């Protein structure tokens, strides 16, 4: 798979669609397991994985506290996420017999469902207003499922797709790469963790089977890239409580580990076995390469995850067009 790790995505700054582009409401296209071939050959897959790998390269060796450019579009996205956070405070959990899946989440989600296009319109300039209904679908898909009150890597992928679409229409640009991960995606993670804790959301898929932990995958990829060539932190250190406590504010990977240890009890090797195994890998670059392969195999190539992905004009199902 090494060749996939080096593929370069389209340059978002040159990928601004003409004003005449016909935006469409994204819909599901993967209905049966044999449809997965269409996904892997699609322009959407190429653009999505290219986007993930570009950001992976952009944050390599950099701390979260690294100085980086914050554009107006980035600030607006953070404000959007702050609104979602505020709505959680305004929608407290309700008393109910079952411990998991608090029904107040549906009230919170209903507000997002109603307001998603207005929220996205605060980020997208007026000359691109026609793109708002298409892009807003990915935002709505990125926060969990309101019927099952669950959340998993497919929802996380929808948020990455949301950001990828904003790059494709030129709202986010090449020099926003670091801020996309450190400012926007990191804030998204905070809001999702608050959702998961407040409403006791279930992991999507059989107990988080499609991920490293119950809920997320991408922060482990980008977080391991941050740690490449670190002067003293090695993969074996992330199971050391002291190392995590001292460095989690600088590294997304360690922040994820801290959250897991807050949410789960018992030996780390038992409740997070896949991660425990990764701690034996000799270098962060090998961890990073392995996680990219694992993400493709365990998330992007799994029907239970991708059957929910939606395709429109920005992330189309049609096969990759050769230049």
């Amino acid at each position: 798979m090494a060749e996939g790790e080096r593929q370069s995505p389209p340059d978002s700054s040159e990928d601004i669609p003409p004003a005449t582009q016909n935006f469409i409401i994204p819909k599901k296209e993967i209905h049966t397991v044999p449809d997965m071939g269409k996904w892997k050959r699609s322009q959407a897959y190429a653009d999505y994985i290219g986007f993930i790998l570009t950001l992976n390269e952009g944050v390599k060796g950099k701390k979260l506290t690294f100085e980086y450019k914050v554009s107006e579009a980035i600030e607006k996205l953070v404000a959007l996420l702050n609104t979602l956070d505020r709505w959680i405070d305004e929608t407290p959990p309700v008393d109910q017999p079952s411990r998991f899946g608090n029904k107040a989440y549906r009230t919170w989600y209903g507000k997002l469902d109603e307001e998603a296009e207005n929220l996205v319109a605060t980020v997208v300039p007026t000359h691109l207003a026609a793109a708002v209904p298409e892009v807003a679908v990915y935002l709505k898909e990125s926060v969990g499922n309101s019927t099952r009150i669950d959340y998993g890597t497919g929802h996380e992928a929808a948020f990455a797709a949301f950001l990828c679409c904003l790059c494709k229409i030129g709202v986010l640009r090449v020099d926003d790469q670091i801020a996309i991960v450190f400012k926007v995606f990191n804030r998204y993670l905070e809001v999702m963790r608050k959702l998961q804790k407040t409403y006791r959301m279930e992991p999507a898929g059989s107990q988080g089977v499609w991920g490293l932990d119950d809920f997320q995958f991408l922060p482990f990829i980008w977080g391991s890239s941050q740690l490449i060539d670190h002067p003293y932190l090695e993969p074996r250190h992330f199971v050391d409580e002291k190392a995590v406590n001292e460095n989690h504010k600088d590294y997304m990977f360690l922040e994820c580990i801290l959250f897991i240890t807050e949410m789960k009890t018992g030996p780390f090797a038992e409740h997070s076995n896949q991660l425990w195994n990764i701690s034996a890998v000799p270098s962060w670059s090998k961890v990073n390469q392995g996680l990219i392969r694992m993400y493709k195999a365990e998330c992007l190539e799994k029907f239970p995850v991708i059957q929910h992905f939606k395709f429109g004009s920005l992330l189309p199902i049609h096969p990759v067009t050769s230049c």
Side-chain angles (χ1 to χ4, degrees), residues 102-171:
N102 195 281
K103 291 181 176 61
Y105 170 79
R106 291 179 182 148
T107 307
W108 179 89
Y109 183 85
K111 195 176 282 192
L112 172 61
D113 194 34
E114 206 173 283
E115 294 293 327
E117 289 190 19
N118 292 334
L119 288 172
V120 173
T122 65
V123 179
V124 174
T126 48
H127 72 279
L128 290 167
V132 167
E134 177 167 342
V135 176
V137 167
Y138 294 103
L139 178 65
K140 288 192 282 188
E141 294 283 315
S142 73
V143 297
N145 181 281
S146 62
T147 305
R148 297 186 300 273
I149 313 182
D150 67 7
Y151 175 94
T153 49
H155 302 109
E156 178 189 67
F159 191 73
F162 168 67
L163 296 172
C164 182
C165 287
L166 290 174
C167 286
K168 294 197 81 177
I169 61 174
V171 172

Side-chain angles (χ1 to χ4, degrees), residues 186-205:
N186 213 32
R187 184 71 185 108
Y188 165 76
L189 278 181
E190 290 169 358
V191 177
M192 292 308 103
R193 285 169 183 151
K194 188 169 173 178
L195 274 182
Q196 289 152 20
K197 283 200 281 195
T198 303
Y199 303 121
R200 302 302 300 267
M201 297 179 79
E202 297 268 23

